Amino acid sequence: FNQPRVQVQTAVGPVRIPQTSEEDATSLATFIDQNVPENAPIFATGWGAQWYLLTGRPNPTAFDVVLLGLGISGSEAASVERALLTQPPEAVILPSDWQLETSGTDVADDAQRDAIEIKKTMPAWWQTLKQDYVDQTPPDLLNWRVLLRQTSQ
């Protein structure tokens, strides 16, 4: 948290983000602007809440952070999955190290544990990622993956 910050403009005003995130923020926000209709929902997993602010796009769920222990267990998972199936996001933003094909085995990596847990607690939505979305991650995006809904292309 104690790293140099830069200011970026958003629809609601300027925000300061870590300097190391500026390139990803610019690349991803530009990509979403060019490929997702204005006001269409997006969904970001992991610690991806900044993407709603930086892209000006709504989240179809009540959870801004979705990872192990937050939004992916019990009734929270059911609520998130129901919202995602009812109002499918036009883009899904995942940490770059998440794999859609998870083995379900114990993994030391926290990001993969999150992916495995979401696959188990939101199986219907997880299946839509493989059926209805295409990985369209811009080549200059280092820490995130972007899946676009096939109907939005």
Side-chain angles (χ1 to χ4, degrees):
F1 291 108
N2 293 327
Q3 47 185 298
R5 299 199 171 260
V6 295
Q7 184 168 298
V8 295
Q9 284 300 117
T10 73
V12 295
V15 295
R16 295 181 59 76
I17 62 172
Q19 188 173 6
T20 56
S21 303
E22 181 180 20
E23 195 170 311
D24 270 359
T26 302
S27 176
L28 197 143
T30 299
F31 181 81
I32 294 295
D33 282 346
Q34 294 172 349
N35 292 280
V36 175
E38 192 173 340
N39 298 319
I42 64 170
F43 183 66
T45 59
W47 292 106
Q50 71 273 18
W51 300 122
Y52 306 115
L53 178 64
L54 293 172
T55 64
R57 300 306 196 282
N59 174 355
T61 79
F63 291 84
D64 289 333
V65 176
V66 178
L67 41 82
L68 196 58
L70 296 170
I72 59 173
S73 60
S75 63
E76 291 177 347
S79 172
V80 170
E81 184 173 52
R82 193 169 35 258
L84 292 170
L85 294 172
T86 302
Q87 186 180 12
E90 293 299 315
V92 175
I93 303 166
L94 307 167
S96 60
D97 49 0
W98 276 36
Q99 301 300 318
L100 292 181
E101 297 299 331
T102 61
S103 65
T105 61
D106 289 338
V107 182
D109 180 79
D110 286 341
Q112 271 311 100
R113 274 197 294 269
D114 291 338
I116 290 167
E117 189 65 20
I118 285 180
K119 180 181 177 183
K120 286 193 292 188
T121 62
M122 295 189 268
W125 178 70
W126 190 264
Q127 192 60 36
T128 69
L129 289 180
K130 296 189 291 185
Q131 293 174 348
D132 301 339
Y133 291 83
V134 176
D135 191 334
Q136 295 290 316
T137 305
D140 59 341
L141 194 59
L142 303 176
N143 298 303
W144 299 92
R145 292 173 60 195
V146 182
L147 308 180
L148 290 181
R149 201 163 156 238
Q150 291 182 37
T151 59
S152 66
Q153 297 178 31

